[in-house]
Amino acid sequence: MLLTPPALSSIQWSRSQTAVCLEGMEFETPQLSSLSSCGLYFKFNYKQWQRGDLKISRTFLCSSQKPREDFPFKRKQVRPQNVDLPPILPKRKKKPYPVPIKKILQASRKDKKLAQMGIEKPLEPPKNGLLVPDLIPVAYEVLDAWKILIKGLAQLLHVIPVYGCSECSEVHVAEAGHHIQNCCGPTSAQRRSFHSWVKGSINDILLPIESYHLYDPFGRRIKHETRFDYDRIPAIVELCIQAGVDIPEYPSRRRTNPIRMIGKKVIDRGGFVEEPRPWRFVNSSSSPLVDLDTHGACSRYPPPPLADVPRIAQETMHAYETVRSGVTKLMKKYTVKACGYCSEVHIGPWGHNAKLCGEFKHQWRDGKHGWQDATVDEVFPPNYVWHVRDPKGPPLRGALKRFYGKAPAVVEVCMQAGAEIPRKYRSMMRLDIVVPDSDEAQLVA
């Protein structure tokens, strides 16, 4: 398609006794193709001169196409209509490494080569035990959002019904449990894989992932005999403490001199420091850290007024996104380990030596965990549940489960309470797909 160049806005003439000349003008038109970032340029040049009694006039038109450097073209991102969730990993197999094994072996060979040459391993904060100043505000923001998230969910669960299966880990957010036959509990054969629904709690929405609190992550490792000397707190809280949050009840060592390592051996850690005794409270409700744990959260907060439910749901949704984005930023710098076979998580450069793993082939490992780098979903699990468009409508059926979407449990609770659904969850919830009737499901391609 030929584009019409824009009209001349101003003309500059230069007169002489023998010739009249029009100076060259440049014009730029929109792109001719949306697949390229090049623009078409036109150049007009009008000249008139006189030879004796003969007057000659010429108009020259030149065009060129070159990349537009000042206005880079950005293709519009089109979100898909539906997105499949990550596949459920088999329990009788080790989890895949989040970092490719080739990069792990390459870094290991590089460290071994430096150790053989007697060269110290170059370490940057926080790998050398020092804090990252830019991430301290992020840690405080995550901890504040974590408190708002627990409080908001505890209030919303008084209004939004949640059910959990007593035989498996399935969770459903609706007025009644669904009729999808996917239970894999011990007695599922007697129930034809139907779930045995009971009233759920906040721990069904926010899966409790705990880790040991360490005063010095670079100090002595936790042994199986000394595991009861350390408190277990939520993994997100421990990550924030090691990132710079100061909690008097859970102190942490703040180094001023970096540690030194040659290969995998620490040659200077500033000595071992005696760890302070952990705080012990007679009643857990009197603890100042009660707002950081989900245990008994529903009993601590009364039901909210119905007029405040949408506002609380929106605040809870914002707190959930803040916690998830903040944990992602912290885990890019601070080392977090996870077992490749079970759900155990450890915050620190090395995993502990407690023999508590009972998953696949734990006898070969004497109960020790198979530590590897953790992912965000292992520290802060999304816990996907079926999305219910009408909570008061008929229960979900197994014949139509391919038309149903899923969403994180927190997002589903907040959505049913009146919060706005973030755009990135719309495709996995399949909001643009029309669910057919049971008789029409067989006719759908």
Side-chain angles (χ1 to χ4, degrees), residues 14-297:
S14 60
R15 302 177 182 271
S16 63
Q17 295 179 356
T18 59
V20 179
C21 177
L22 176 64
E23 295 181 359
M25 304 292 291
E26 291 186 3
F27 304 94
E28 178 182 350
T29 64
Q31 298 177 17
L32 297 180
S33 175
S34 60
L35 300 179
S36 62
S37 60
C38 300
L40 186 63
Y41 294 82
F42 291 98
K43 182 177 181 181
F44 294 90
N45 192 1
Y46 177 79
K47 292 185 179 181
Q48 183 179 4
W49 62 91
Q50 182 175 0
R51 293 182 179 177
D53 297 335
L54 181 62
K55 293 183 179 180
I56 303 176
S57 301
R58 292 290 186 270
T59 302
F60 301 94
L61 173 61
C62 300
S63 63
S64 63
Q65 192 173 9
K66 58 183 179 180
R68 300 177 58 180
E69 301 178 356
D70 50 346
F71 297 103
F73 177 74
K74 294 183 180 180
R75 180 175 296 181
K76 183 179 180 180
Q77 295 182 357
V78 179
R79 294 185 178 273
Q81 189 179 23
N82 57 79
V83 173
D84 295 332
L85 298 180
I88 299 177
L89 301 177
K91 293 184 178 181
R92 301 184 63 84
K93 190 177 180 181
K94 193 175 185 297
K95 301 176 187 177
Y97 290 99
V99 181
I101 189 65
K102 290 184 178 180
K103 293 185 177 181
I104 297 177
L105 296 178
Q106 183 179 3
S108 178
R109 288 192 294 265
K110 183 178 179 181
D111 295 343
K112 183 178 179 180
K113 185 176 181 180
L114 293 177
Q116 292 176 352
M117 299 172 61
I119 302 176
E120 293 186 13
K121 184 178 180 180
L123 299 175
E124 297 181 358
K127 306 296 183 182
N128 58 0
L130 303 180
L131 295 178
V132 181
D134 296 339
L135 292 180
I136 295 178
V138 177
Y140 275 97
E141 184 181 7
V142 170
L143 194 62
D144 294 339
W146 175 253
K147 297 179 183 178
I148 297 175
L149 179 60
I150 294 176
K151 181 180 178 180
L153 283 178
Q155 292 177 323
L156 293 178
L157 290 184
H158 291 289
V159 182
I160 306 300
V162 175
Y163 292 92
C165 183
S166 60
E167 300 292 336
C168 66
S169 59
E170 184 77 7
V171 179
H172 191 62
V173 183
E175 295 291 339
H178 62 73
H179 292 170
I180 301 176
Q181 298 172 266
N182 57 354
C183 183
C184 55
T187 61
S188 60
Q190 303 175 4
R191 292 176 279 107
R192 294 184 301 167
S193 298
F194 283 103
H195 293 280
S196 177
W197 297 113
V198 295
K199 185 178 181 181
S201 63
I202 189 174
N203 287 334
D204 295 323
I205 304 299
L206 284 180
L207 298 182
I209 303 297
E210 296 182 344
S211 65
Y212 288 104
H213 169 65
L214 298 178
Y215 174 73
D216 185 7
F218 294 88
R220 296 183 176 90
R221 298 181 69 174
I222 300 176
K223 298 181 180 180
H224 185 74
E225 297 77 13
T226 61
R227 65 186 185 278
F228 296 111
D229 298 337
Y230 302 88
D231 290 339
R232 289 184 66 85
I233 62 177
I236 294 179
V237 179
E238 176 64 16
L239 179 61
C240 295
I241 291 175
Q242 294 190 16
V245 175
D246 292 328
I247 300 179
E249 290 78 11
Y250 292 137
S252 181
R253 182 179 180 180
R254 308 301 184 191
R255 282 184 166 83
T256 56
N257 297 324
I259 65 171
R260 299 166 56 193
M261 296 181 61
I262 293 183
K264 297 182 180 180
K265 183 178 179 181
V266 180
I267 60 176
D268 184 12
R269 58 165 50 93
F272 293 100
V273 180
E274 183 179 358
E275 299 182 3
R277 295 183 178 180
W279 290 61
R280 302 297 181 185
F281 300 95
V282 179
N283 188 4
S284 60
S285 61
S286 61
S287 172
L289 305 178
V290 68
D291 296 337
L292 301 176
D293 197 357
T294 58
H295 179 70

